[in-house]
Amino acid sequence: MLNKQSRREFLKISSTAAIAATVYPWVEIFGNNDSSKKPSDKVRLGFIGVGVRGATLLLNVKELSKETNVEIAAVCDDYPPNYDRAIELAENSKVKAFVNYHKLLEMKDLDGVIIATPLHEHTRIAVEAMEAGFHVFCEKAMARTLDDIKKMYDTHVSTGMILQIGHQRMFDPKYIKAIEMIKNGEIGKIGQIRAYWHRNNDWKRPLPKGKPELEHKINWRLYKKYSAGLITELASHQIQVANWILNNAPISVMGTGSIVYWKDGREVHDNVALIFSYDDGTQFVWDSMTSNRKYGCEEQIMGDKATMEIGSNKIFLENPPPAPGIRQMIHEMELGLFEIIPIGGATWIPETPVKYEGEYISDKYELNETLLQLEAFVNYIRKGKAPEQLTIEGYNASIWSILAEEAVDKGLKLTMPGKYIL
Amino acid sequence: MAVVKVHHNNFFTMNTRLETVFWGRSKADCEVVLAKIKRTVLDLENILSSFIPHSETYILNKAGKKTNIHVSDYLFNVIKRCSEFKQKTLGYFDITFNRAFDTSPQENNSDRVSNNKFKDCNIIFNEKNKTLCFRNEKTTVDFGGIGKGLALEDVEKILNFYEIENAFISFGESTIITRGRHPHGEYWPFGISNLFKPKEIVYSFRCNNHSISTSATIQNVENLKELRHHIVDPKSGMLITTPKMISVKSESPVIAEVLSTALLAADPKTQHKIVSNFENNEIIEVIFNQDNSPVITKLN
């Protein structure tokens, strides 16, 4: 969990980066005290959807409340076990609990809502919340259809309410450091980004005994009506990372998918491969499966000078720096000096396999990026607005997730229809 | 003085880093040459490595016990050549004697000999069928003492093919080859560092189209709290504890590596005999006194 020392480290990163304003403007909030709401004013949040992810968000806000003036004011879930657990987790005798989200949105003393319902429910809740005057933090992906995504964005613009989508990597210090290094040219010209997310587990959650009618409610991620499966639940994160790195959105996507392993009646693919193309020729190749976890989750950013594996916090130089003696020799040669070149500190050691292990992108401290993004949301609420780029990142990641699903389903290479271009 | 553009690159291979330094050619030319070098050396590593499971050497070591194993012409000829070097070095260069088999502090010299690890390790060659057979089932081959020289021999061919006139190629700074000259002198000036005081040069070589290989009985000790001995006398099986090093300048990186390896373990009389079997080399032995001061002897 975030502590003061590590938070200071994060603030140091975000405040010293010369390019922060253009590359990750949403991080500036941590060093910005300009606020329409005083820090002493309590930010009151309502949670709509407190399943596994929603409960995680709730616990993070509870942790945040120990050092920030924020309160879990309300919780809402129409599934009784989630409803009961949320009340218990909130540990706040004043927390109001609802089964129907409309009732929560009728509260007058909320500042914002956090939405972590199944994907297909995001739009109507988020739109109603913004229209009711609440700032919104919504889990990714934004919505189940292109039109719904656009509707959410348009409502954010027309109401002026904050719409932050839960792409927590945008607040992960190692990603921020990596982006900064990339923008400084340290990996050179990027030709390809490769990302993957491999798991070896069943997404199908067990149902309460004797309640088969809950299958779609509990396992909504497995059915096309509610989710695009791996694409909306996993790829959307890495599409956001690729867009962020390239400071661009794709121009086309194609892909394929199949159910190769979990043949249990689910409708979404358990095996997907996508290729996104950008206007400068860069390709973003993404794949995912759920019956092998050897390669795990990673983003590989391949430039002509280096490769970054951001998830592993590693950078692998194409041309590692020379050994000290060689470096000195090159330096002297370029200075016009003719000096003896020291060699022969015999380096022979019993041979064992070695390989270049790369270098670390950032210091190895770990921060809770989920908590950081929620802290940012609270701070944006105090300020009354968030950087527009924050919302656009979520928008593009979601639009291209849904387009990717369509490309897979139709077997076509798709571009973005003009009406969705911001 | 005109500014000299130096082109440097490196990559990891054979347990160390291969560094290339070119001058006098365009960056594009150098990148073409580097790509060829990299492909060639990595291909070679995939043949000679004892650690890469699909390498020909790895497979041979697993399968060659008292059985005729067919190997590629390249590997056959390399092992044959090593066998000839074994004869010329009076047994002190021996790819079937794994110098690194155990240098752990727990095993003393008498244990090492009594453990019967030091045995007759001859190989039976069948020229007609290009097959090899290890006489002793404990035998393996290890190119640790010559692999870099073989790789640099191939690198020389590449440099010649692409007409690279001025170059410096280093394999972990213990084996190097040069072409031409330093941009500001008539030769490449190299200094052999004192193992105990790396900034102190104990001997210098002048190189044009040459190779230098250095072997030592201890690892570079600048950052070590205690000496680490790792060379075993292939004749006796005894760990060599005298801190010393051998540096060889030769026209051939293979010869330089073979001699720097063999002469390290041999006694002075045998050293003289071995050196007489090889021509046109500049060889020094550096023995370090207790105060780490070097005593330098030219062996040819």
Side-chain angles (χ1 to χ4, degrees):
Chain A
M1 199 52 75
L2 188 66
N3 58 45
K4 287 182 180 175
Q5 186 180 2
S6 58
R7 187 170 176 276
R8 274 202 297 276
E9 288 294 324
F10 182 69
L11 293 178
K12 197 164 68 179
I13 286 177
S14 57
S15 61
T16 57
I19 55 176
T22 54
V23 180
Y24 37 86
W26 50 87
V27 175
E28 283 184 316
I29 194 68
F30 293 103
N32 190 335
N33 293 321
D34 178 21
S35 167
S36 60
K37 198 173 175 75
K38 294 175 187 171
S40 58
D41 293 340
K42 189 161 280 184
V43 171
R44 290 166 55 80
L45 298 176
F47 288 77
I48 303 174
V50 275
V52 174
R53 184 60 183 167
T56 301
L57 298 175
L58 186 147
L59 288 170
N60 274 281
V61 171
K62 192 163 86 172
E63 183 70 20
L64 194 61
S65 68
K66 293 175 183 173
E67 61 174 69
T68 304
N69 204 2
V70 59
E71 180 184 349
I72 300 167
V75 295
C76 173
D77 203 298
D78 62 1
Y79 182 52
N82 290 350
Y83 175 93
D84 294 340
R85 183 181 57 186
I87 295 170
E88 188 179 328
L89 291 176
E91 287 187 305
N92 176 3
S93 58
K94 296 179 191 169
V95 72
K96 292 185 177 173
F98 304 96
V99 174
N100 184 333
Y101 75 90
H102 291 109
K103 296 291 182 188
L104 184 146
L105 296 181
E106 287 172 5
M107 290 177 68
K108 302 296 181 193
D109 53 352
L110 284 183
D111 296 297
V113 295
I114 292 179
I115 301 169
T117 60
L119 176 62
H120 69 293
E121 296 175 343
H122 285 179
T123 301
R124 61 187 166 91
I125 299 172
V127 167
E128 286 180 39
M130 287 186 280
E131 287 176 342
F134 298 121
H135 298 298
V136 169
F137 176 99
C138 182
E139 262 306 328
K140 60 80 214 157
M142 279 173 77
R144 185 65 191 91
T145 68
L146 296 173
D147 286 340
D148 276 357
I149 295 166
K150 186 69 165 51
K151 187 176 179 182
M152 281 173 74
Y153 182 80
D154 289 345
T155 306
H156 147 72
V157 172
S158 63
T159 61
M161 305 312 295
I162 295 165
L163 176 60
Q164 181 178 345
I165 307 303
H167 290 294
Q168 65 268 22
R169 285 165 178 75
M170 296 165 76
F171 295 88
D172 184 324
K174 65 177 177 289
Y175 281 80
I176 290 170
K177 180 68 177 173
I179 296 285
E180 190 177 316
M181 291 168 72
I182 290 167
K183 297 304 173 192
N184 284 332
E186 294 187 35
I187 71 167
K189 167 72 178 155
I190 296 171
Q192 191 177 103
I193 296 175
R194 202 161 58 188
Y196 46 84
W197 203 323
H198 293 188
R199 291 173 167 174
N200 192 350
N201 60 8
D202 186 0
W203 271 18
K204 201 176 185 69
R205 291 174 179 156
L207 303 178
K209 201 171 181 181
K211 300 272 187 182
E213 68 275 16
L214 292 177
E215 168 63 13
H216 281 221
K217 184 167 189 61
I218 301 285
N219 287 310
W220 58 270
R221 293 186 300 175
L222 304 183
Y223 299 97
K224 295 277 281 182
K225 182 178 178 183
Y226 319 111
S227 170
L230 297 172
I231 299 175
T232 44
E233 303 312 312
L234 302 183
S236 59
H237 278 304
Q238 294 173 307
I239 296 170
Q240 185 275 317
V241 171
N243 290 346
W244 183 18
I245 287 166
L246 299 172
N247 195 25
N248 206 347
I251 56 168
S252 69
V253 59
M254 56 186 172
T256 187
S258 60
I259 298 175
V260 70
Y261 189 85
W262 298 103
K263 297 181 179 180
D264 54 6
R266 70 185 60 192
E267 296 169 359
V268 299
H269 295 146
D270 63 8
N271 192 338
V272 179
L274 307 170
I275 302 174
F276 299 85
S277 300
Y278 291 75
D279 59 7
D280 66 350
T282 308
Q283 310 292 343
F284 167 43
V285 182
W286 185 86
D287 67 85
S288 180
M289 64 188 298
T290 51
S291 55
N292 181 292
R293 65 168 181 264
K294 175 172 170 53
Y295 295 104
C297 174
E298 186 58 272
E299 297 95 26
Q300 300 170 325
I301 323 302
M302 288 170 275
D304 67 333
K305 293 181 183 173
T307 298
M308 273 186 176
E309 292 185 354
I310 308 180
S312 305
N313 194 23
K314 282 293 191 77
I315 178 169
F316 302 85
L317 302 174
E318 289 283 296
N319 183 21
I326 308 289
R327 189 162 58 230
Q328 181 186 339
M329 177 189 79
I330 294 168
H331 183 62
E332 290 172 351
M333 285 167 73
E334 288 178 335
L335 286 176
L337 301 175
F338 184 60
E339 303 287 343
I340 287 182
I341 303 159
I343 59 164
T347 55
W348 189 92
I349 55 172
E351 284 209 33
T352 50
V354 294
K355 59 181 180 181
Y356 175 45
E357 298 288 355
E359 286 108 48
Y360 287 106
I361 292 171
S362 73
D363 298 341
K364 288 196 289 180
Y365 56 80
E366 294 292 336
L367 292 180
N368 178 350
E369 65 273 15
T370 296
L371 189 146
L372 283 167
Q373 69 171 350
L374 290 167
E375 182 174 359
F377 180 55
V378 170
N379 289 347
Y380 297 141
I381 289 175
R382 291 192 184 287
K383 196 176 178 184
K385 62 179 180 180
E388 187 58 14
Q389 189 60 29
L390 180 79
T391 309
I392 292 173
E393 289 283 338
Y395 177 85
N396 281 330
S398 294
I399 285 281
W400 283 98
S401 295
I402 300 301
L403 279 172
E405 180 200 24
E406 197 177 326
V408 169
D409 290 346
K410 293 180 176 173
L412 296 173
K413 181 177 179 179
L414 295 183
T415 56
M416 191 199 287
K419 65 177 178 176
Y420 300 117
I421 297 172
L422 298 181
Chain B
M1 182 176 292
V3 175
V4 173
K5 184 61 188 166
V6 180
H7 302 288
H8 164 263
N9 268 292
N10 63 23
F11 61 93
F12 285 80
T13 180
M14 295 190 177
N15 195 42
T16 189
R17 182 155 57 178
L18 189 147
E19 312 250 12
T20 63
V21 176
F22 303 124
W23 70 272
R25 293 290 289 266
S26 70
K27 184 181 178 188
D29 281 357
C30 296
E31 286 179 353
V32 168
V33 176
L34 175 76
K36 179 67 177 169
I37 289 173
K38 189 171 181 179
R39 197 161 57 244
T40 301
V41 175
L42 292 177
D43 284 349
L44 195 58
E45 183 180 22
N46 278 327
I47 297 173
L48 299 179
S49 171
S50 304
F51 297 96
I52 298 174
H54 59 263
S55 79
E56 205 178 350
T57 298
Y58 184 93
I59 294 166
L60 173 66
N61 283 338
K62 288 286 180 192
K65 327 289 187 189
K66 296 186 177 178
T67 306
N68 286 316
I69 298 296
H70 179 78
V71 296
S72 65
D73 285 358
Y74 178 84
L75 188 60
F76 187 91
N77 290 334
V78 164
I79 295 176
K80 193 84 193 299
R81 198 174 166 197
C82 290
S83 175
E84 290 162 9
F85 284 135
K86 182 177 178 180
Q87 288 184 9
K88 289 181 77 173
T89 60
L90 311 176
Y92 279 90
F93 175 81
D94 186 353
I95 60 167
T96 64
F97 184 79
N98 186 353
R99 294 183 302 173
F101 57 66
D102 192 346
T103 56
S104 66
Q106 288 75 28
E107 188 181 51
N108 61 34
N109 275 337
S110 57
D111 288 340
R112 191 168 289 108
V113 176
S114 63
N115 281 347
N116 204 22
K117 288 174 179 169
F118 178 58
K119 296 182 81 100
D120 176 15
C121 299
N122 287 346
I123 300 171
I124 303 167
F125 294 87
N126 184 321
E127 289 276 1
K128 186 180 172 187
N129 299 327
K130 293 285 190 260
T131 62
L132 300 172
C133 178
F134 297 153
R135 283 186 205 278
N136 184 303
E137 63 180 22
K138 289 189 175 180
T139 298
T140 56
V141 294
D142 182 339
F143 297 101
I146 194 173
K148 296 174 183 65
L150 291 167
L152 288 173
E153 198 172 62
D154 283 353
V155 171
E156 285 184 331
K157 292 173 189 166
I158 295 168
L159 298 178
N160 291 342
F161 179 82
Y162 286 99
E163 298 178 337
I164 298 292
E165 293 178 359
N166 302 294
F168 161 72
I169 315 286
S170 164
F171 239 131
E173 298 180 76
S174 61
T175 304
I176 64 159
I177 60 170
T178 59
R179 278 292 173 273
R181 62 177 180 83
H182 188 284
H184 310 298
E186 293 306 310
Y187 53 88
W188 292 92
F190 293 109
I192 304 300
S193 301
N194 183 330
L195 284 177
F196 297 90
K197 304 172 190 170
K199 290 181 181 172
E200 178 185 308
I201 302 298
V202 298
Y203 188 83
S204 59
F205 289 105
R206 296 181 174 192
C207 294
N208 295 109
N209 298 325
H210 291 104
S211 309
I212 297 175
S213 178
T214 298
S215 295
T217 55
I218 51 175
Q219 292 176 30
N220 195 325
V221 292
E222 188 178 19
N223 297 315
L224 297 179
K225 290 180 180 171
E226 58 183 39
L227 299 185
R228 286 190 190 164
H229 305 286
H230 62 99
I231 300 294
V232 173
D233 181 342
K235 289 283 189 177
S236 67
M238 306 288 274
L239 192 65
I240 301 171
T241 55
T242 305
K244 64 177 180 176
M245 57 197 289
I246 299 283
S247 286
V248 179
K249 173 185 161 187
S250 172
E251 291 182 357
S252 159
V254 171
I255 299 294
E257 273 226 289
V258 166
L259 282 176
S260 68
T261 301
L263 294 173
L264 203 57
D267 60 77
K269 194 174 172 184
T270 311
Q271 281 179 333
H272 181 73
K273 289 180 185 172
I274 294 171
V275 169
S276 69
N277 288 332
F278 295 85
E279 295 178 346
N280 300 324
N281 303 299
E282 183 177 352
I283 307 168
I284 60 156
E285 178 181 61
V286 185
I287 297 177
F288 294 94
N289 293 320
Q290 283 193 334
D291 65 356
N292 300 336
S293 60
V295 178
I296 300 162
T297 306
K298 292 197 80 166
L299 297 183
N300 62 328

